[in-house]
């Protein structure tokens, strides 16, 4: 896996624009690239984060540079927050419940509003969803219920808790079966799934067994599943930015 070039963390001469889009008591952020884009990524923070967590300067500069150098097709990036404003307990268990509840808000409010704000509709194959840790779990739940909305699913360093907290590690076979059943129940079961984590990540013991169990369903995943593990990769945003540096040019192709 390539490292992010050090000059990519500095300001870019042709930066995109970040705007705040309010809805109800909440807001999401929208990154609009310098050039018109035909793809959109919904990118979800980890436990304790919010809509601003992903858009720290080093990440935004990296995306600006990738687009500027032609390494990455321009894309919109939406960063919502899965917590309700009154939620103060952000422990994994409570976050897990928020993530589940958030699916409806994502479908009914965030996706329509983001695309209204941009002024164009995207079809399913032009939309991706990804996230880190609890945001990875958000991506798993979207995979289980929103194949009509998204085509690209990129969970990073988070397993699926459909069978309980850290279920991908404790019950990998059952978790994989629940995921596959959910996929089969949906009407448009076409997708690409690209999961990424690191060998030293706290989510690795949960995600890796789940991925090994999923891979065995070759009838569903043949040609549609990629799983990368960065040797030594840990559970932090800087490592996640490196995954995105490598993975963003792969998706939408
Ligand atoms: C995981 C390990 C840790 C995971 C989430 C976490 C969804 C989150 C921890 C936290 O928010 O403190 O496998 O998967």
């Amino acid at each position: 896996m390539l490292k992010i070039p050090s000059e990519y963390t500095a300001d870019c001469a042709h930066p995109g624009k970040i705007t705040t889009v309010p809805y109800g008591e909440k807001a999401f952020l929208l990154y609009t690239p310098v050039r018109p884009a035909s793809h959109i990524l919904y990118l979800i923070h980890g436990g304790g984060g919010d809509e601003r967590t992903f858009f720290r300067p080093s990440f935004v500069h990296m995306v600006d540079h990738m687009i500027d150098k032609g390494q990455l097709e321009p894309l919109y990036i939406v960063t919502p927050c899965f917590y309700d404003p009154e939620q103060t307990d952000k422990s994994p268990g409570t976050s897990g419940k928020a993530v589940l509840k958030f699916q409806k808000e994502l479908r009914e409010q965030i996706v329509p509003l983001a695309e209204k704000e941009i002024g164009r509709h995207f079809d399913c194959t032009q939309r991706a969803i990804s996230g880190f840790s609890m945001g990875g779990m958000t991506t798993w739940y979207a995979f289980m219920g929103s194949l009509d909305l998204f085509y690209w699913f990129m969970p990073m360093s988070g397993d699926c808790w459909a069978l309980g907290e850290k279920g991908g590690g404790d019950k990998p076979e059952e978790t994989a079966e629940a995921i596959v059943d959910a996929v089969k129940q949906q009407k448009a079961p076409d997708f690409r799934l690209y999961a990424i984590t690191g060998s030293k990540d706290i989510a690795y013991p949960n995600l890796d067994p789940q991925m090994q169990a999923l891979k065995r369903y070759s009838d569903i995943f043949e040609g549609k599943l990629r799983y990368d593990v960065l040797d030594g990769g840990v559970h932090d945003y800087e490592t996640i930015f490196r995954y995105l540096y490598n993975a963003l040019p792969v998706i939408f192709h």
Side-chain angles (χ1 to χ4, degrees), residues 117-128:
E117 189 72 19
I118 292 165
R120 64 160 289 178
H121 169 78
F122 294 85
D123 68 36
C124 177
T125 60
Q126 296 170 317
R127 294 196 198 111

Side-chain angles (χ1 to χ4, degrees), residues 46-47 90 92 133-134 137 157-159 161 166 202-203 206-207 235:
K90 297 185 176 175
S133 192
M134 300 306 302
M137 193 161 79
S157 298
D159 61 317
W161 292 3
K166 316 220 161 132
I202 53 161
N206 308 323
L207 182 57
H235 201 74

Side-chain angles (χ1 to χ4, degrees), residues 4-251:
I4 303 167
S6 57
E7 66 272 22
Y8 280 35
T9 57
D11 279 333
C12 176
H14 307 107
K17 192 178 71 182
I18 292 176
T19 45
T20 301
V21 182
Y23 64 102
E25 303 273 281
K26 297 176 69 174
F28 58 78
L29 301 186
L30 169 66
Y31 171 87
T32 301
V34 269
R35 287 181 282 120
S38 51
H39 296 117
I40 185 162
L41 167 69
Y42 292 82
L43 185 59
I44 322 291
H45 63 87
D50 60 30
E51 67 276 14
R52 297 178 305 258
T53 309
F54 257 105
F55 285 160
R56 53 180 84 165
S58 59
F59 177 70
V60 178
H61 293 158
M62 178 191 93
V63 173
D64 286 340
H65 280 287
M66 290 174 78
I67 293 171
D68 195 35
K69 299 243 170 32
Q71 251 172 281
L72 177 64
E73 292 286 321
L75 83 172
Y76 295 93
I77 305 176
V78 173
T79 57
C81 174
F82 61 65
Y83 292 113
D84 282 338
E86 64 275 13
Q87 187 165 340
T88 49
D89 173 2
K90 297 185 176 175
S91 61
T94 322
S95 298
K97 292 199 188 83
V99 157
L100 198 52
K101 185 165 168 264
F102 176 71
Q103 296 295 322
K104 189 172 151 70
E105 182 175 324
L106 180 62
R107 170 182 291 277
E108 293 178 3
Q109 298 188 67
I110 297 166
V111 171
L113 183 57
E115 301 184 11
K116 186 171 163 230
E117 189 72 19
I118 292 165
R120 64 160 289 178
H121 169 78
F122 294 85
D123 68 36
C124 177
T125 60
Q126 296 170 317
R127 294 196 198 111
I129 181 163
S130 181
F132 167 45
S133 192
M134 300 306 302
M137 193 161 79
T138 313
T139 309
W140 285 114
Y141 282 135
F143 185 56
M144 293 172 79
S146 299
L147 287 178
D148 60 320
L149 272 189
F150 307 104
Y151 183 79
W152 288 92
F153 296 84
M154 212 162 70
M156 299 180 292
S157 298
D159 61 317
C160 175
W161 292 3
L163 277 97
E165 212 168 302
K166 316 220 161 132
D170 294 341
K171 297 178 180 168
E173 309 299 337
E174 296 91 329
T175 302
E177 193 182 351
I179 293 170
V180 167
D181 283 351
V183 167
K184 284 184 176 165
Q185 273 174 28
Q186 296 177 73
K187 284 202 199 79
D190 200 15
F191 60 85
R192 290 291 182 273
L193 177 63
Y194 183 2
I196 315 180
T197 191
S199 63
K200 293 240 160 63
D201 193 303
I202 53 161
Y204 177 82
N206 308 323
L207 182 57
D208 191 69
Q210 178 192 310
M211 293 312 298
Q212 302 309 333
L214 270 182
K215 272 188 191 168
R216 285 182 215 118
Y217 291 88
S218 50
D219 54 327
I220 303 247
F221 291 112
E222 181 90 68
K224 297 182 176 182
L225 171 66
R226 177 168 170 179
Y227 172 47
D228 288 348
V229 178
L230 174 67
D231 196 27
V234 297
H235 201 74
D236 66 19
Y237 279 94
E238 294 304 321
T239 309
I240 290 295
F241 298 160
R242 183 168 168 195
Y243 300 161
L244 289 167
Y245 177 72
N246 284 272
L248 287 179
V250 172
I251 62 172

